PDB file of all heavy atoms in Angstrom:
ATOM      1  N   ASN A  87      41.403  68.257  88.682  1.00 50.00           N
ATOM      2  CA  ASN A  87      40.436  69.096  89.391  1.00 50.00           C
ATOM      3  C   ASN A  87      40.458  70.470  88.764  1.00 50.00           C
ATOM      4  O   ASN A  87      41.301  71.322  89.099  1.00 50.00           O
ATOM      5  CB  ASN A  87      40.795  69.153  90.869  1.00 50.00           C
ATOM      6  CG  ASN A  87      39.736  69.872  91.678  1.00 50.00           C
ATOM      7  OD1 ASN A  87      38.674  70.168  91.153  1.00 50.00           O
ATOM      8  ND2 ASN A  87      40.051  70.108  92.944  1.00 50.00           N
ATOM      9  N   GLN A  88      39.499  70.720  87.795  1.00 52.00           N
ATOM     10  CA  GLN A  88      39.423  71.996  87.081  1.00 52.00           C
ATOM     11  C   GLN A  88      38.352  72.925  87.628  1.00 52.00           C
ATOM     12  O   GLN A  88      38.080  73.953  87.049  1.00 52.00           O
ATOM     13  CB  GLN A  88      39.158  71.720  85.602  1.00 52.00           C
ATOM     14  CG  GLN A  88      40.267  70.935  84.935  1.00 52.00           C
ATOM     15  CD  GLN A  88      39.971  70.651  83.476  1.00 52.00           C
ATOM     16  OE1 GLN A  88      38.902  71.010  82.992  1.00 52.00           O
ATOM     17  NE2 GLN A  88      40.915  70.007  82.784  1.00 52.00           N
ATOM     18  N   GLY A  89      37.606  72.582  88.722  1.00 51.00           N
ATOM     19  CA  GLY A  89      36.592  73.453  89.319  1.00 51.00           C
ATOM     20  C   GLY A  89      35.250  73.294  88.635  1.00 51.00           C
ATOM     21  O   GLY A  89      35.058  72.434  87.787  1.00 51.00           O
ATOM     22  N   PRO A  90      34.263  74.099  88.996  1.00 53.00           N
ATOM     23  CA  PRO A  90      32.924  73.994  88.421  1.00 53.00           C
ATOM     24  C   PRO A  90      32.909  74.410  86.963  1.00 53.00           C
ATOM     25  O   PRO A  90      33.795  75.138  86.515  1.00 53.00           O
ATOM     26  CB  PRO A  90      32.106  74.963  89.289  1.00 53.00           C
ATOM     27  CG  PRO A  90      33.090  75.914  89.826  1.00 53.00           C
ATOM     28  CD  PRO A  90      34.385  75.165  89.997  1.00 53.00           C
ATOM     29  N   PRO A  91      31.912  73.958  86.186  1.00 55.00           N
ATOM     30  CA  PRO A  91      31.860  74.289  84.757  1.00 55.00           C
ATOM     31  C   PRO A  91      31.598  75.772  84.553  1.00 55.00           C
ATOM     32  O   PRO A  91      31.056  76.450  85.424  1.00 55.00           O
ATOM     33  CB  PRO A  91      30.693  73.434  84.248  1.00 55.00           C
ATOM     34  CG  PRO A  91      29.848  73.198  85.434  1.00 55.00           C
ATOM     35  CD  PRO A  91      30.811  73.089  86.597  1.00 55.00           C
ATOM     36  N   ASP A  92      31.935  76.251  83.370  1.00 62.00           N
ATOM     37  CA  ASP A  92      31.769  77.658  83.030  1.00 62.00           C
ATOM     38  C   ASP A  92      30.296  77.957  82.767  1.00 62.00           C
ATOM     39  O   ASP A  92      29.540  77.106  82.291  1.00 62.00           O
ATOM     40  CB  ASP A  92      32.624  77.985  81.797  1.00 62.00           C
ATOM     41  CG  ASP A  92      32.705  79.486  81.568  1.00 62.00           C
ATOM     42  OD1 ASP A  92      32.175  80.226  82.427  1.00 62.00           O
ATOM     43  OD2 ASP A  92      33.261  79.904  80.542  1.00 62.00           O
ATOM     44  N   LEU A  93      29.874  79.237  83.042  1.00 61.00           N
ATOM     45  CA  LEU A  93      28.486  79.654  82.815  1.00 61.00           C
ATOM     46  C   LEU A  93      28.156  79.635  81.345  1.00 61.00           C
ATOM     47  O   LEU A  93      27.003  79.364  80.959  1.00 61.00           O
ATOM     48  CB  LEU A  93      28.272  81.052  83.410  1.00 61.00           C
ATOM     49  CG  LEU A  93      26.864  81.647  83.286  1.00 61.00           C
ATOM     50  CD1 LEU A  93      25.856  80.755  84.001  1.00 61.00           C
ATOM     51  CD2 LEU A  93      26.821  83.056  83.866  1.00 61.00           C
ATOM     52  N   ASP A  94      29.166  79.904  80.505  1.00 64.00           N
ATOM     53  CA  ASP A  94      28.900  79.891  79.063  1.00 64.00           C
ATOM     54  C   ASP A  94      28.525  78.503  78.584  1.00 64.00           C
ATOM     55  O   ASP A  94      27.665  78.342  77.698  1.00 64.00           O
ATOM     56  CB  ASP A  94      30.138  80.385  78.298  1.00 64.00           C
ATOM     57  CG  ASP A  94      30.406  81.869  78.542  1.00 64.00           C
ATOM     58  OD1 ASP A  94      29.415  82.556  78.913  1.00 64.00           O
ATOM     59  OD2 ASP A  94      31.541  82.316  78.381  1.00 64.00           O
ATOM     60  N   GLU A  95      29.137  77.504  79.184  1.00 71.00           N
ATOM     61  CA  GLU A  95      28.805  76.143  78.792  1.00 71.00           C
ATOM     62  C   GLU A  95      27.364  75.811  79.173  1.00 71.00           C
ATOM     63  O   GLU A  95      26.624  75.157  78.402  1.00 71.00           O
ATOM     64  CB  GLU A  95      29.776  75.163  79.442  1.00 71.00           C
ATOM     65  CG  GLU A  95      31.203  75.295  78.936  1.00 71.00           C
ATOM     66  CD  GLU A  95      32.122  74.283  79.593  1.00 71.00           C
ATOM     67  OE1 GLU A  95      31.597  73.497  80.446  1.00 71.00           O
ATOM     68  OE2 GLU A  95      33.296  74.273  79.273  1.00 71.00           O
ATOM     69  N   LEU A  96      26.942  76.250  80.345  1.00 64.00           N
ATOM     70  CA  LEU A  96      25.543  76.008  80.750  1.00 64.00           C
ATOM     71  C   LEU A  96      24.571  76.695  79.806  1.00 64.00           C
ATOM     72  O   LEU A  96      23.553  76.126  79.398  1.00 64.00           O
ATOM     73  CB  LEU A  96      25.323  76.486  82.184  1.00 64.00           C
ATOM     74  CG  LEU A  96      26.068  75.709  83.282  1.00 64.00           C
ATOM     75  CD1 LEU A  96      25.812  76.349  84.638  1.00 64.00           C
ATOM     76  CD2 LEU A  96      25.633  74.251  83.307  1.00 64.00           C
ATOM     77  N   LEU A  97      24.818  77.975  79.451  1.00 63.00           N
ATOM     78  CA  LEU A  97      23.946  78.683  78.519  1.00 63.00           C
ATOM     79  C   LEU A  97      23.972  78.037  77.152  1.00 63.00           C
ATOM     80  O   LEU A  97      22.940  78.007  76.445  1.00 63.00           O
ATOM     81  CB  LEU A  97      24.363  80.143  78.428  1.00 63.00           C
ATOM     82  CG  LEU A  97      24.173  80.974  79.709  1.00 63.00           C
ATOM     83  CD1 LEU A  97      24.691  82.392  79.506  1.00 63.00           C
ATOM     84  CD2 LEU A  97      22.707  81.010  80.090  1.00 63.00           C
ATOM     85  N   ASN A  98      25.176  77.499  76.781  1.00 69.00           N
ATOM     86  CA  ASN A  98      25.283  76.827  75.479  1.00 69.00           C
ATOM     87  C   ASN A  98      24.403  75.589  75.456  1.00 69.00           C
ATOM     88  O   ASN A  98      23.688  75.315  74.488  1.00 69.00           O
ATOM     89  CB  ASN A  98      26.745  76.467  75.209  1.00 69.00           C
ATOM     90  CG  ASN A  98      26.959  75.981  73.776  1.00 69.00           C
ATOM     91  OD1 ASN A  98      26.076  76.121  72.926  1.00 69.00           O
ATOM     92  ND2 ASN A  98      28.133  75.409  73.513  1.00 69.00           N
ATOM     93  N   ASP A  99      24.458  74.827  76.555  1.00 70.00           N
ATOM     94  CA  ASP A  99      23.586  73.647  76.626  1.00 70.00           C
ATOM     95  C   ASP A  99      22.109  74.033  76.582  1.00 70.00           C
ATOM     96  O   ASP A  99      21.301  73.371  75.920  1.00 70.00           O
ATOM     97  CB  ASP A  99      23.874  72.874  77.914  1.00 70.00           C
ATOM     98  CG  ASP A  99      25.278  72.259  77.904  1.00 70.00           C
ATOM     99  OD1 ASP A  99      25.810  72.083  76.809  1.00 70.00           O
ATOM    100  OD2 ASP A  99      25.791  71.991  79.009  1.00 70.00           O
ATOM    101  N   LEU A 100      21.714  75.107  77.285  1.00 64.00           N
ATOM    102  CA  LEU A 100      20.323  75.560  77.251  1.00 64.00           C
ATOM    103  C   LEU A 100      19.919  75.996  75.863  1.00 64.00           C
ATOM    104  O   LEU A 100      18.818  75.719  75.383  1.00 64.00           O
ATOM    105  CB  LEU A 100      20.120  76.689  78.266  1.00 64.00           C
ATOM    106  CG  LEU A 100      18.708  77.278  78.376  1.00 64.00           C
ATOM    107  CD1 LEU A 100      17.731  76.189  78.824  1.00 64.00           C
ATOM    108  CD2 LEU A 100      18.680  78.440  79.362  1.00 64.00           C
ATOM    109  N   GLY A 101      20.839  76.685  75.171  1.00 62.00           N
ATOM    110  CA  GLY A 101      20.540  77.117  73.805  1.00 62.00           C
ATOM    111  C   GLY A 101      20.365  75.961  72.869  1.00 62.00           C
ATOM    112  O   GLY A 101      19.509  75.977  71.975  1.00 62.00           O
ATOM    113  N   LYS A 102      21.159  74.957  73.069  1.00 67.00           N
ATOM    114  CA  LYS A 102      21.017  73.778  72.226  1.00 67.00           C
ATOM    115  C   LYS A 102      19.655  73.133  72.436  1.00 67.00           C
ATOM    116  O   LYS A 102      18.992  72.685  71.485  1.00 67.00           O
ATOM    117  CB  LYS A 102      22.130  72.789  72.533  1.00 67.00           C
ATOM    118  CG  LYS A 102      23.512  73.258  72.051  1.00 67.00           C
ATOM    119  CD  LYS A 102      24.570  72.229  72.423  1.00 67.00           C
ATOM    120  CE  LYS A 102      25.968  72.692  71.971  1.00 67.00           C
ATOM    121  NZ  LYS A 102      27.028  71.724  72.344  1.00 67.00           N
ATOM    122  N   LYS A 103      19.243  73.011  73.673  1.00 63.00           N
ATOM    123  CA  LYS A 103      17.950  72.402  73.941  1.00 63.00           C
ATOM    124  C   LYS A 103      16.822  73.212  73.336  1.00 63.00           C
ATOM    125  O   LYS A 103      15.874  72.662  72.760  1.00 63.00           O
ATOM    126  CB  LYS A 103      17.747  72.252  75.444  1.00 63.00           C
ATOM    127  CG  LYS A 103      18.718  71.256  76.079  1.00 63.00           C
ATOM    128  CD  LYS A 103      18.490  71.180  77.576  1.00 63.00           C
ATOM    129  CE  LYS A 103      19.449  70.196  78.231  1.00 63.00           C
ATOM    130  NZ  LYS A 103      19.274  70.100  79.695  1.00 63.00           N
ATOM    131  N   VAL A 104      16.880  74.547  73.461  1.00 55.00           N
ATOM    132  CA  VAL A 104      15.823  75.391  72.900  1.00 55.00           C
ATOM    133  C   VAL A 104      15.797  75.302  71.403  1.00 55.00           C
ATOM    134  O   VAL A 104      14.736  75.220  70.762  1.00 55.00           O
ATOM    135  CB  VAL A 104      16.006  76.836  73.378  1.00 55.00           C
ATOM    136  CG1 VAL A 104      15.021  77.760  72.657  1.00 55.00           C
ATOM    137  CG2 VAL A 104      15.801  76.934  74.876  1.00 55.00           C
ATOM    138  N   SER A 105      17.000  75.300  70.785  1.00 58.00           N
ATOM    139  CA  SER A 105      17.053  75.193  69.333  1.00 58.00           C
ATOM    140  C   SER A 105      16.546  73.849  68.860  1.00 58.00           C
ATOM    141  O   SER A 105      15.944  73.721  67.796  1.00 58.00           O
ATOM    142  CB  SER A 105      18.489  75.418  68.856  1.00 58.00           C
ATOM    143  OG  SER A 105      19.346  74.414  69.400  1.00 58.00           O
ATOM    144  N   GLY A 106      16.747  72.822  69.673  1.00 57.00           N
ATOM    145  CA  GLY A 106      16.212  71.518  69.319  1.00 57.00           C
ATOM    146  C   GLY A 106      14.702  71.510  69.353  1.00 57.00           C
ATOM    147  O   GLY A 106      14.044  70.852  68.559  1.00 57.00           O
ATOM    148  N   ILE A 107      14.173  72.257  70.281  1.00 50.00           N
ATOM    149  CA  ILE A 107      12.700  72.339  70.350  1.00 50.00           C
ATOM    150  C   ILE A 107      12.142  73.013  69.118  1.00 50.00           C
ATOM    151  O   ILE A 107      11.113  72.610  68.563  1.00 50.00           O
ATOM    152  CB  ILE A 107      12.275  73.083  71.629  1.00 50.00           C
ATOM    153  CG1 ILE A 107      12.664  72.246  72.853  1.00 50.00           C
ATOM    154  CG2 ILE A 107      10.795  73.372  71.634  1.00 50.00           C
ATOM    155  CD1 ILE A 107      12.436  72.962  74.147  1.00 50.00           C
ATOM    156  N   PHE A 108      12.782  74.088  68.634  1.00 48.00           N
ATOM    157  CA  PHE A 108      12.298  74.843  67.479  1.00 48.00           C
ATOM    158  C   PHE A 108      12.806  74.285  66.149  1.00 48.00           C
ATOM    159  O   PHE A 108      12.737  74.953  65.131  1.00 48.00           O
ATOM    160  CB  PHE A 108      12.696  76.321  67.599  1.00 48.00           C
ATOM    161  CG  PHE A 108      11.956  77.041  68.667  1.00 48.00           C
ATOM    162  CD1 PHE A 108      12.523  77.240  69.914  1.00 48.00           C
ATOM    163  CD2 PHE A 108      10.673  77.527  68.433  1.00 48.00           C
ATOM    164  CE1 PHE A 108      11.848  77.904  70.887  1.00 48.00           C
ATOM    165  CE2 PHE A 108       9.997  78.202  69.415  1.00 48.00           C
ATOM    166  CZ  PHE A 108      10.567  78.387  70.658  1.00 48.00           C
ATOM    167  N   GLY A 109      13.418  73.117  66.175  1.00 48.00           N
ATOM    168  CA  GLY A 109      13.817  72.456  64.924  1.00 48.00           C
ATOM    169  C   GLY A 109      15.266  72.687  64.539  1.00 48.00           C
ATOM    170  O   GLY A 109      15.687  72.269  63.456  1.00 48.00           O
ATOM    171  N   GLY A 110      16.032  73.377  65.319  1.00 49.00           N
ATOM    172  CA  GLY A 110      17.437  73.606  64.996  1.00 49.00           C
ATOM    173  C   GLY A 110      18.275  72.381  65.286  1.00 49.00           C
ATOM    174  O   GLY A 110      17.875  71.485  66.023  1.00 49.00           O
ATOM    175  N   LYS A 111      19.492  72.290  64.675  1.00 48.00           N
ATOM    176  CA  LYS A 111      20.404  71.155  64.863  1.00 48.00           C
ATOM    177  C   LYS A 111      21.479  71.545  65.830  1.00 48.00           C
ATOM    178  O   LYS A 111      22.170  72.553  65.649  1.00 48.00           O
ATOM    179  CB  LYS A 111      21.035  70.739  63.552  1.00 48.00           C
ATOM    180  CG  LYS A 111      20.017  70.201  62.551  1.00 48.00           C
ATOM    181  CD  LYS A 111      20.698  69.784  61.289  1.00 48.00           C
ATOM    182  CE  LYS A 111      19.700  69.220  60.272  1.00 48.00           C
ATOM    183  NZ  LYS A 111      20.363  68.813  59.003  1.00 48.00           N
ATOM    184  N   GLY A 112      21.579  70.786  66.860  1.00 46.00           N
ATOM    185  CA  GLY A 112      22.600  71.052  67.860  1.00 46.00           C
ATOM    186  C   GLY A 112      23.975  70.605  67.359  1.00 46.00           C
ATOM    187  O   GLY A 112      24.118  69.571  66.704  1.00 46.00           O
ATOM    188  N   ASN A 113      25.004  71.330  67.628  1.00 49.00           N
ATOM    189  CA  ASN A 113      26.374  71.024  67.213  1.00 49.00           C
ATOM    190  C   ASN A 113      27.267  71.221  68.402  1.00 49.00           C
ATOM    191  O   ASN A 113      27.416  72.350  68.898  1.00 49.00           O
ATOM    192  CB  ASN A 113      26.804  71.914  66.069  1.00 49.00           C
ATOM    193  CG  ASN A 113      28.160  71.499  65.494  1.00 49.00           C
ATOM    194  OD1 ASN A 113      28.744  70.497  65.939  1.00 49.00           O
ATOM    195  ND2 ASN A 113      28.639  72.251  64.512  1.00 49.00           N
ATOM    196  N   ASN A 114      27.812  70.106  68.890  1.00 47.00           N
ATOM    197  CA  ASN A 114      28.643  70.197  70.072  1.00 47.00           C
ATOM    198  C   ASN A 114      29.932  70.917  69.809  1.00 47.00           C
ATOM    199  O   ASN A 114      30.591  71.379  70.719  1.00 47.00           O
ATOM    200  CB  ASN A 114      28.943  68.792  70.608  1.00 47.00           C
ATOM    201  CG  ASN A 114      27.691  68.104  71.123  1.00 47.00           C
ATOM    202  OD1 ASN A 114      26.789  68.786  71.573  1.00 47.00           O
ATOM    203  ND2 ASN A 114      27.666  66.780  71.038  1.00 47.00           N
ATOM    204  N   ARG A 115      30.255  71.067  68.487  1.00 46.00           N
ATOM    205  CA  ARG A 115      31.506  71.718  68.181  1.00 46.00           C
ATOM    206  C   ARG A 115      31.309  73.122  67.668  1.00 46.00           C
ATOM    207  O   ARG A 115      32.083  73.685  66.934  1.00 46.00           O
ATOM    208  CB  ARG A 115      32.252  70.900  67.122  1.00 46.00           C
ATOM    209  CG  ARG A 115      32.737  69.563  67.656  1.00 46.00           C
ATOM    210  CD  ARG A 115      33.377  68.735  66.582  1.00 46.00           C
ATOM    211  NE  ARG A 115      32.379  68.344  65.588  1.00 46.00           N
ATOM    212  CZ  ARG A 115      32.671  67.576  64.497  1.00 46.00           C
ATOM    213  NH1 ARG A 115      33.884  67.149  64.275  1.00 46.00           N
ATOM    214  NH2 ARG A 115      31.705  67.243  63.662  1.00 46.00           N
ATOM    215  N   SER A 116      30.073  73.730  68.039  1.00 47.00           N
ATOM    216  CA  SER A 116      29.815  75.101  67.615  1.00 47.00           C
ATOM    217  C   SER A 116      30.743  76.053  68.325  1.00 47.00           C
ATOM    218  O   SER A 116      31.235  75.766  69.411  1.00 47.00           O
ATOM    219  CB  SER A 116      28.361  75.464  67.857  1.00 47.00           C
ATOM    220  OG  SER A 116      28.094  75.386  69.242  1.00 47.00           O
ATOM    221  N   SER A 117      30.932  77.223  67.712  1.00 47.00           N
ATOM    222  CA  SER A 117      31.842  78.227  68.273  1.00 47.00           C
ATOM    223  C   SER A 117      31.196  78.930  69.442  1.00 47.00           C
ATOM    224  O   SER A 117      30.005  78.788  69.711  1.00 47.00           O
ATOM    225  CB  SER A 117      32.228  79.234  67.195  1.00 47.00           C
ATOM    226  OG  SER A 117      31.060  79.904  66.733  1.00 47.00           O
ATOM    227  N   GLY A 118      31.943  79.782  70.137  1.00 51.00           N
ATOM    228  CA  GLY A 118      31.407  80.532  71.283  1.00 51.00           C
ATOM    229  C   GLY A 118      30.416  81.576  70.864  1.00 51.00           C
ATOM    230  O   GLY A 118      29.506  81.912  71.601  1.00 51.00           O
TER     231      GLY A 118
END
């Protein structure tokens, strides 16, 4: 039980989706 996810992770997921829309490659192992 580690609690709710971090806000940075949510923004990271949103950024990945936006970058995917504009042709960018999502990398789950990208840095902070």
Side-chain angles (χ1 to χ4, degrees):
N87 187 9
Q88 298 179 357
D92 191 5
L93 181 61
D94 292 337
E95 293 181 0
L96 293 177
L97 294 177
N98 190 12
D99 293 338
L100 181 62
K102 289 179 181 179
K103 294 179 180 179
V104 173
S105 62
I107 294 173
F108 290 98
K111 295 181 179 179
N113 187 3
N114 294 331
R115 292 176 294 180
S116 62
S117 61

